[in-house]
Amino acid sequence: MNSPRPAYRLSEIVQRFGGELLGDADVRITQVATLERAGPGHISFYANSRYRKQLEQTRADAVILGADASSSTERARIVCKDAYAYFARVSALLNPPLAVDPGTHPLAAIHPTARVAPSASIGPFVSVGAGAEVGEGSLVEANCTLGDNVRIGSDCRLHSGVSVYHDCVIGDRVILHSGVIIGADGFGLAWDGGRWHKIPQIGRVLLGDDVEIGANTTIDRGALDDTVVEEGVKLDNQIQIGHNCRIGAHTAIAGCVGVAGSTRIGRYCRIGGSAMVGGHLEIADNVEISGATGVSKSITKAGTYTSLFPMSLHRDWLRNAAHIRHLDAMAERLRDLEARLVELEGKKK
Amino acid sequence: MNSPRPAYRLSEIVQRFGGELLGDADVRITQVATLERAGPGHISFYANSRYRKQLEQTRADAVILGADASSSTERARIVCKDAYAYFARVSALLNPPLAVDPGTHPLAAIHPTARVAPSASIGPFVSVGAGAEVGEGSLVEANCTLGDNVRIGSDCRLHSGVSVYHDCVIGDRVILHSGVIIGADGFGLAWDGGRWHKIPQIGRVLLGDDVEIGANTTIDRGALDDTVVEEGVKLDNQIQIGHNCRIGAHTAIAGCVGVAGSTRIGRYCRIGGSAMVGGHLEIADNVEISGATGVSKSITKAGTYTSLFPMSLHRDWLRNAAHIRHLDAMAERLRDLEARLVELEGKKK
Amino acid sequence: MNSPRPAYRLSEIVQRFGGELLGDADVRITQVATLERAGPGHISFYANSRYRKQLEQTRADAVILGADASSSTERARIVCKDAYAYFARVSALLNPPLAVDPGTHPLAAIHPTARVAPSASIGPFVSVGAGAEVGEGSLVEANCTLGDNVRIGSDCRLHSGVSVYHDCVIGDRVILHSGVIIGADGFGLAWDGGRWHKIPQIGRVLLGDDVEIGANTTIDRGALDDTVVEEGVKLDNQIQIGHNCRIGAHTAIAGCVGVAGSTRIGRYCRIGGSAMVGGHLEIADNVEISGATGVSKSITKAGTYTSLFPMSLHRDWLRNAAHIRHLDAMAERLRDLEARLVELEGKKK
């Protein structure tokens, strides 16, 4: 937010990303902003009629919107099919990732057998283990630890305080936020002789290209085979992925979700925050799971799935929830009533 | 627990915090303790009749209690209105925060343009980015990473292994426990051309004064505007606060709670552990949310709210829970029975 | 996975661990593998009839299995009582923990009053506080922080990025995975004068021998007394244990579980992922709690306990869940129907 910002004329943006330009093509755009907060040099977007009032009052120099709303403002505007996706592209144009400053900080600890690409950047207090590799253009920020034989692809960004355990493999253009732990031991125990015995976790974690993983998320290494996160998967913060899981390409999982071991989640799935997915399950492609849902069996068909006890005032909950423990008895009483009523009705005739 | 402890006579404590002193005013108090474990030099408190027996048997040199219990023990005692709050004040008096030893450890990496106040303390393996500021009397423990242009107020304490991303602003007297991540990118994605595209997260995180944040809690930076945690907010461990949230002043949130993006939580709210609050919601002031509750719509009125499936023995759960999937059919059968009964009753007359 | 692997003849394995050997006793085994992926030099196990097909097709050089399955393959095999536990022992034999390379990295910060055993290993960017101790054969990986007076037993392994706050005590053979935080302040607050006041957390955390704790799990120090995790307890990733809890010996807790403060969990319990256990509860020995279950009252008897709203397609959920808020009214209507029916039946006679 402090370096001189790039600026683009509206005409240049439309040339690059398409869409129809209405109004002053020469407006210079330096940043994206919400309709409410936008000011000079800002471009905003309108994708939801809830924000109609903000659109009317915005001081943005330009707005991205759909054809149906093209006459809702007099301001310079780009009319396109998907205003939010268009906005995402413009924002990425205006906010490129910071350039990586190649080189290794003198207070890093790089094992002599590790290979760090010349264009990579290694911050202070980073430890890189024996035989590890960091690819071209990758940035490893302060206080990260890469175990022996870890492979980090090119153009990755590891924010501060990431740990990658030995032998794990990270693809290209992967983003790992602070506190991410890749490849810790899975929860593998055998009960024997009155105590738990640890089962060595000898698999790895493999992360595909273009994966992004949020702060403090953990992905355990496989017990025997590998834990796999396929390309384009996006994981939010504080997610736990158990050992031997496979997360299919382009699946997105919101914060605080737990996925127990050996579960396979399909491609293009979307899992809401704080959901829990049990172990040894199969979730099909294109499945959507609502927030706070507990998944305890496999899902074989695309669709949206939910399990959430409806919230109410605590005093109402007390009154209603008590009956949950008697639902079976209630069902039995209902059956009994039905039978007796049929009998009475028979006698009536 | 190892430095020579401060000691106060009971009379000095009452002079400082009020209350009525019964018994020996000269008892010297060096530490707080539970009724059960207290011994010589210890002061304890009694605030719940469940602990009556422990009160009778305690070996504490003094006890803090309410007027209703003032004759329940012969020991030296302070009678006051709120024994627990009084105890908190006494404990804070007896256990002041460790003095901060000013200076920067030789194995820290401070950018030349960063400004660290002379009375601040920077531990080993701390990285402080360009243009960052650390205020007077603040302590930054080992292995913390402060990004470019981060501002840390005065008298803060950052425990080991905290990461604060670039441009975030931390108020005065803020405590961040180990593993806290402030300002990681929010989960902002646009679906376009068969894959997810990252939306740059250009907002910041602003933490007000007197905020305390528990271990491994994460607060994401805003997508466009800032994520804001107002003064006096207390967050427990392993909480996730999504981008663009606003947490109102003096709200307290227990461990493992997830708050999805763009939600505004009011002032003086209390949220129980493992609750989940969905995105784009508004929670009024003074709302209490029970532990493990899923909040999927806005709450406009103060009160206590709950959603929890009652626990039972698994075999009972199996029997009862199965009916949940047929509640609508049960309701229909009930309506049908009622109609038929009305008809029968009519014929009876 | 890169050092020369140990190899054992099948006869040596049986000599060591017992069981009946069928087939070629001279087969040399170098690694364990799943039935599906096994190849030359591998031993696999068969413990679940679901994998019968994989057993038939495996290319493992040897298989561990039960007496009932001893003739299901022609391959060299070890017949034993508990194939999974036997496999665990063989895997531990074939995958011993890496040898610890004694010594302290030059880029570690060890306080002059700390005592590090000569056979211990301290990695780069590790900070060890005043009066702290690290026992014989223990390994402390990069970027760990040990506070003042911390005691780490012998033969422990602290993976990268672990923080242990002052005065906490860790037993022998304890494994702490990356991002574990031991001894952060518990969530102790008193409401007084319109704001929260912090209650100093002066207890410690005590971890027994043979405890293993997963990545990013947090265990808070006690408010007054200590938080205690007894010997042999196994905690998965991203678990939160509140202040003053006691976790009984040999209990195992899966990922993302939260245990609120002052709760005592018995010995030999098993708690499923994403469960939530409220504060100030007592859980008996040998209790099993299902995943995603919310425990809001004490459990006094061994058994399996569950609270999970059954998942369904979202549209079915919408239809059925709505009735939850009217269960009390439904029960009342049912009672009313029963009374009226009894009356009608009486008139019939």
PDB file of all heavy atoms in Angstrom, chain A residues 43-62:
ATOM      1  N   ILE A  43     -12.070   2.196  -8.742  1.00  0.00           N
ATOM      2  CA  ILE A  43     -13.113   1.483  -9.478  1.00  0.00           C
ATOM      3  C   ILE A  43     -13.797   0.535  -8.500  1.00  0.00           C
ATOM      4  O   ILE A  43     -13.146  -0.069  -7.647  1.00  0.00           O
ATOM      5  CB  ILE A  43     -12.544   0.733 -10.705  1.00  0.00           C
ATOM      6  CG1 ILE A  43     -13.684   0.187 -11.570  1.00  0.00           C
ATOM      7  CG2 ILE A  43     -11.589  -0.391 -10.290  1.00  0.00           C
ATOM      8  CD1 ILE A  43     -13.211  -0.261 -12.954  1.00  0.00           C
ATOM      9  N   SER A  44     -15.124   0.469  -8.593  1.00  0.00           N
ATOM     10  CA  SER A  44     -15.874  -0.391  -7.699  1.00  0.00           C
ATOM     11  C   SER A  44     -16.701  -1.364  -8.523  1.00  0.00           C
ATOM     12  O   SER A  44     -16.634  -1.361  -9.756  1.00  0.00           O
ATOM     13  CB  SER A  44     -16.761   0.475  -6.804  1.00  0.00           C
ATOM     14  OG  SER A  44     -17.249  -0.292  -5.732  1.00  0.00           O
ATOM     15  N   PHE A  45     -17.463  -2.247  -7.844  1.00  0.00           N
ATOM     16  CA  PHE A  45     -18.313  -3.160  -8.604  1.00  0.00           C
ATOM     17  C   PHE A  45     -19.678  -3.270  -7.933  1.00  0.00           C
ATOM     18  O   PHE A  45     -19.825  -3.034  -6.728  1.00  0.00           O
ATOM     19  CB  PHE A  45     -17.663  -4.547  -8.736  1.00  0.00           C
ATOM     20  CG  PHE A  45     -17.659  -5.326  -7.447  1.00  0.00           C
ATOM     21  CD1 PHE A  45     -18.576  -6.356  -7.219  1.00  0.00           C
ATOM     22  CD2 PHE A  45     -16.742  -5.029  -6.455  1.00  0.00           C
ATOM     23  CE1 PHE A  45     -18.570  -7.060  -6.031  1.00  0.00           C
ATOM     24  CE2 PHE A  45     -16.733  -5.733  -5.262  1.00  0.00           C
ATOM     25  CZ  PHE A  45     -17.644  -6.750  -5.051  1.00  0.00           C
ATOM     26  N   TYR A  46     -20.656  -3.620  -8.758  1.00  0.00           N
ATOM     27  CA  TYR A  46     -22.035  -3.740  -8.293  1.00  0.00           C
ATOM     28  C   TYR A  46     -22.561  -5.080  -8.806  1.00  0.00           C
ATOM     29  O   TYR A  46     -22.698  -5.277 -10.012  1.00  0.00           O
ATOM     30  CB  TYR A  46     -22.861  -2.573  -8.836  1.00  0.00           C
ATOM     31  CG  TYR A  46     -24.344  -2.682  -8.569  1.00  0.00           C
ATOM     32  CD1 TYR A  46     -24.860  -2.442  -7.292  1.00  0.00           C
ATOM     33  CD2 TYR A  46     -25.234  -2.999  -9.598  1.00  0.00           C
ATOM     34  CE1 TYR A  46     -26.232  -2.535  -7.043  1.00  0.00           C
ATOM     35  CE2 TYR A  46     -26.608  -3.099  -9.354  1.00  0.00           C
ATOM     36  CZ  TYR A  46     -27.098  -2.862  -8.071  1.00  0.00           C
ATOM     37  OH  TYR A  46     -28.443  -2.958  -7.832  1.00  0.00           O
ATOM     38  N   ALA A  47     -22.796  -6.013  -7.869  1.00  0.00           N
ATOM     39  CA  ALA A  47     -23.190  -7.358  -8.294  1.00  0.00           C
ATOM     40  C   ALA A  47     -24.400  -7.862  -7.523  1.00  0.00           C
ATOM     41  O   ALA A  47     -24.787  -9.014  -7.670  1.00  0.00           O
ATOM     42  CB  ALA A  47     -22.022  -8.317  -8.120  1.00  0.00           C
ATOM     43  N   ASN A  48     -24.998  -7.005  -6.685  1.00  0.00           N
ATOM     44  CA  ASN A  48     -26.071  -7.474  -5.808  1.00  0.00           C
ATOM     45  C   ASN A  48     -26.992  -6.298  -5.532  1.00  0.00           C
ATOM     46  O   ASN A  48     -26.559  -5.259  -5.033  1.00  0.00           O
ATOM     47  CB  ASN A  48     -25.420  -7.982  -4.496  1.00  0.00           C
ATOM     48  CG  ASN A  48     -26.435  -8.600  -3.565  1.00  0.00           C
ATOM     49  OD1 ASN A  48     -27.604  -8.214  -3.554  1.00  0.00           O
ATOM     50  ND2 ASN A  48     -25.988  -9.557  -2.770  1.00  0.00           N
ATOM     51  N   SER A  49     -28.283  -6.476  -5.841  1.00  0.00           N
ATOM     52  CA  SER A  49     -29.220  -5.353  -5.775  1.00  0.00           C
ATOM     53  C   SER A  49     -29.362  -4.795  -4.352  1.00  0.00           C
ATOM     54  O   SER A  49     -29.868  -3.696  -4.164  1.00  0.00           O
ATOM     55  CB  SER A  49     -30.583  -5.776  -6.320  1.00  0.00           C
ATOM     56  OG  SER A  49     -31.043  -6.897  -5.594  1.00  0.00           O
ATOM     57  N   ARG A  50     -28.896  -5.568  -3.336  1.00  0.00           N
ATOM     58  CA  ARG A  50     -28.867  -5.052  -1.966  1.00  0.00           C
ATOM     59  C   ARG A  50     -28.059  -3.775  -1.845  1.00  0.00           C
ATOM     60  O   ARG A  50     -28.208  -3.017  -0.901  1.00  0.00           O
ATOM     61  CB  ARG A  50     -28.158  -6.089  -1.064  1.00  0.00           C
ATOM     62  CG  ARG A  50     -29.063  -6.891  -0.186  1.00  0.00           C
ATOM     63  CD  ARG A  50     -28.338  -8.078   0.367  1.00  0.00           C
ATOM     64  NE  ARG A  50     -27.407  -7.731   1.437  1.00  0.00           N
ATOM     65  CZ  ARG A  50     -26.692  -8.645   2.102  1.00  0.00           C
ATOM     66  NH1 ARG A  50     -26.810  -9.937   1.798  1.00  0.00           N
ATOM     67  NH2 ARG A  50     -25.888  -8.282   3.061  1.00  0.00           N
ATOM     68  N   TYR A  51     -27.123  -3.577  -2.784  1.00  0.00           N
ATOM     69  CA  TYR A  51     -26.234  -2.429  -2.705  1.00  0.00           C
ATOM     70  C   TYR A  51     -26.651  -1.301  -3.649  1.00  0.00           C
ATOM     71  O   TYR A  51     -25.863  -0.423  -3.945  1.00  0.00           O
ATOM     72  CB  TYR A  51     -24.791  -2.872  -2.973  1.00  0.00           C
ATOM     73  CG  TYR A  51     -24.287  -3.820  -1.914  1.00  0.00           C
ATOM     74  CD1 TYR A  51     -24.288  -5.187  -2.115  1.00  0.00           C
ATOM     75  CD2 TYR A  51     -23.848  -3.337  -0.675  1.00  0.00           C
ATOM     76  CE1 TYR A  51     -23.862  -6.062  -1.129  1.00  0.00           C
ATOM     77  CE2 TYR A  51     -23.421  -4.203   0.315  1.00  0.00           C
ATOM     78  CZ  TYR A  51     -23.425  -5.570   0.081  1.00  0.00           C
ATOM     79  OH  TYR A  51     -23.006  -6.434   1.065  1.00  0.00           O
ATOM     80  N   ARG A  52     -27.904  -1.329  -4.086  1.00  0.00           N
ATOM     81  CA  ARG A  52     -28.416  -0.315  -5.007  1.00  0.00           C
ATOM     82  C   ARG A  52     -28.189   1.108  -4.468  1.00  0.00           C
ATOM     83  O   ARG A  52     -27.746   1.998  -5.182  1.00  0.00           O
ATOM     84  CB  ARG A  52     -29.921  -0.581  -5.249  1.00  0.00           C
ATOM     85  CG  ARG A  52     -30.713   0.578  -5.847  1.00  0.00           C
ATOM     86  CD  ARG A  52     -30.297   0.855  -7.278  1.00  0.00           C
ATOM     87  NE  ARG A  52     -30.621  -0.300  -8.112  1.00  0.00           N
ATOM     88  CZ  ARG A  52     -31.159  -0.204  -9.323  1.00  0.00           C
ATOM     89  NH1 ARG A  52     -31.418   0.979  -9.852  1.00  0.00           N
ATOM     90  NH2 ARG A  52     -31.415  -1.298 -10.033  1.00  0.00           N
ATOM     91  N   LYS A  53     -28.475   1.283  -3.190  1.00  0.00           N
ATOM     92  CA  LYS A  53     -28.329   2.607  -2.601  1.00  0.00           C
ATOM     93  C   LYS A  53     -26.858   3.058  -2.614  1.00  0.00           C
ATOM     94  O   LYS A  53     -26.551   4.202  -2.928  1.00  0.00           O
ATOM     95  CB  LYS A  53     -28.837   2.562  -1.155  1.00  0.00           C
ATOM     96  CG  LYS A  53     -29.181   3.938  -0.612  1.00  0.00           C
ATOM     97  CD  LYS A  53     -29.815   3.863   0.751  1.00  0.00           C
ATOM     98  CE  LYS A  53     -29.743   5.234   1.433  1.00  0.00           C
ATOM     99  NZ  LYS A  53     -30.284   5.180   2.806  1.00  0.00           N
ATOM    100  N   GLN A  54     -25.964   2.128  -2.279  1.00  0.00           N
ATOM    101  CA  GLN A  54     -24.542   2.464  -2.319  1.00  0.00           C
ATOM    102  C   GLN A  54     -24.107   2.826  -3.744  1.00  0.00           C
ATOM    103  O   GLN A  54     -23.258   3.685  -3.938  1.00  0.00           O
ATOM    104  CB  GLN A  54     -23.667   1.305  -1.808  1.00  0.00           C
ATOM    105  CG  GLN A  54     -23.665   1.160  -0.282  1.00  0.00           C
ATOM    106  CD  GLN A  54     -24.753   0.241   0.216  1.00  0.00           C
ATOM    107  OE1 GLN A  54     -25.836   0.171  -0.384  1.00  0.00           O
ATOM    108  NE2 GLN A  54     -24.487  -0.458   1.321  1.00  0.00           N
ATOM    109  N   LEU A  55     -24.694   2.154  -4.725  1.00  0.00           N
ATOM    110  CA  LEU A  55     -24.366   2.456  -6.121  1.00  0.00           C
ATOM    111  C   LEU A  55     -24.775   3.891  -6.444  1.00  0.00           C
ATOM    112  O   LEU A  55     -24.015   4.646  -7.072  1.00  0.00           O
ATOM    113  CB  LEU A  55     -25.088   1.480  -7.062  1.00  0.00           C
ATOM    114  CG  LEU A  55     -24.908   1.741  -8.561  1.00  0.00           C
ATOM    115  CD1 LEU A  55     -23.432   1.649  -8.958  1.00  0.00           C
ATOM    116  CD2 LEU A  55     -25.736   0.779  -9.404  1.00  0.00           C
ATOM    117  N   GLU A  56     -25.963   4.258  -5.991  1.00  0.00           N
ATOM    118  CA  GLU A  56     -26.454   5.608  -6.281  1.00  0.00           C
ATOM    119  C   GLU A  56     -25.573   6.678  -5.638  1.00  0.00           C
ATOM    120  O   GLU A  56     -25.398   7.759  -6.185  1.00  0.00           O
ATOM    121  CB  GLU A  56     -27.895   5.757  -5.755  1.00  0.00           C
ATOM    122  CG  GLU A  56     -28.900   5.061  -6.663  1.00  0.00           C
ATOM    123  CD  GLU A  56     -30.244   4.836  -5.969  1.00  0.00           C
ATOM    124  OE1 GLU A  56     -30.458   5.449  -4.898  1.00  0.00           O
ATOM    125  OE2 GLU A  56     -31.060   4.038  -6.486  1.00  0.00           O
ATOM    126  N   GLN A  57     -25.024   6.349  -4.460  1.00  0.00           N
ATOM    127  CA  GLN A  57     -24.292   7.363  -3.702  1.00  0.00           C
ATOM    128  C   GLN A  57     -22.777   7.264  -3.865  1.00  0.00           C
ATOM    129  O   GLN A  57     -22.048   8.063  -3.285  1.00  0.00           O
ATOM    130  CB  GLN A  57     -24.649   7.225  -2.219  1.00  0.00           C
ATOM    131  CG  GLN A  57     -26.120   7.460  -1.954  1.00  0.00           C
ATOM    132  CD  GLN A  57     -26.483   7.229  -0.492  1.00  0.00           C
ATOM    133  OE1 GLN A  57     -25.689   6.682   0.263  1.00  0.00           O
ATOM    134  NE2 GLN A  57     -27.670   7.653  -0.104  1.00  0.00           N
ATOM    135  N   THR A  58     -22.294   6.284  -4.614  1.00  0.00           N
ATOM    136  CA  THR A  58     -20.852   6.068  -4.670  1.00  0.00           C
ATOM    137  C   THR A  58     -20.121   7.258  -5.274  1.00  0.00           C
ATOM    138  O   THR A  58     -20.666   7.971  -6.113  1.00  0.00           O
ATOM    139  CB  THR A  58     -20.503   4.794  -5.455  1.00  0.00           C
ATOM    140  OG1 THR A  58     -19.103   4.524  -5.260  1.00  0.00           O
ATOM    141  CG2 THR A  58     -20.753   4.953  -6.949  1.00  0.00           C
ATOM    142  N   ARG A  59     -18.872   7.443  -4.819  1.00  0.00           N
ATOM    143  CA  ARG A  59     -18.021   8.462  -5.415  1.00  0.00           C
ATOM    144  C   ARG A  59     -16.883   7.808  -6.199  1.00  0.00           C
ATOM    145  O   ARG A  59     -15.864   8.427  -6.468  1.00  0.00           O
ATOM    146  CB  ARG A  59     -17.496   9.381  -4.327  1.00  0.00           C
ATOM    147  CG  ARG A  59     -18.672  10.091  -3.601  1.00  0.00           C
ATOM    148  CD  ARG A  59     -18.170  11.183  -2.683  1.00  0.00           C
ATOM    149  NE  ARG A  59     -17.218  10.642  -1.726  1.00  0.00           N
ATOM    150  CZ  ARG A  59     -16.478  11.384  -0.898  1.00  0.00           C
ATOM    151  NH1 ARG A  59     -16.575  12.696  -0.924  1.00  0.00           N
ATOM    152  NH2 ARG A  59     -15.650  10.831  -0.049  1.00  0.00           N
ATOM    153  N   ALA A  60     -17.087   6.538  -6.537  1.00  0.00           N
ATOM    154  CA  ALA A  60     -16.088   5.840  -7.360  1.00  0.00           C
ATOM    155  C   ALA A  60     -15.972   6.526  -8.717  1.00  0.00           C
ATOM    156  O   ALA A  60     -16.972   7.012  -9.249  1.00  0.00           O
ATOM    157  CB  ALA A  60     -16.495   4.381  -7.537  1.00  0.00           C
ATOM    158  N   ASP A  61     -14.778   6.533  -9.279  1.00  0.00           N
ATOM    159  CA  ASP A  61     -14.597   7.104 -10.611  1.00  0.00           C
ATOM    160  C   ASP A  61     -15.135   6.183 -11.693  1.00  0.00           C
ATOM    161  O   ASP A  61     -15.397   6.626 -12.813  1.00  0.00           O
ATOM    162  CB  ASP A  61     -13.113   7.382 -10.861  1.00  0.00           C
ATOM    163  CG  ASP A  61     -12.739   8.813 -10.468  1.00  0.00           C
ATOM    164  OD1 ASP A  61     -13.655   9.597 -10.150  1.00  0.00           O
ATOM    165  OD2 ASP A  61     -11.537   9.137 -10.475  1.00  0.00           O
ATOM    166  N   ALA A  62     -15.284   4.896 -11.359  1.00  0.00           N
ATOM    167  CA  ALA A  62     -15.833   3.952 -12.338  1.00  0.00           C
ATOM    168  C   ALA A  62     -16.431   2.770 -11.590  1.00  0.00           C
ATOM    169  O   ALA A  62     -16.060   2.494 -10.449  1.00  0.00           O
ATOM    170  CB  ALA A  62     -14.742   3.475 -13.291  1.00  0.00           C
TER     171      ALA A  62
END
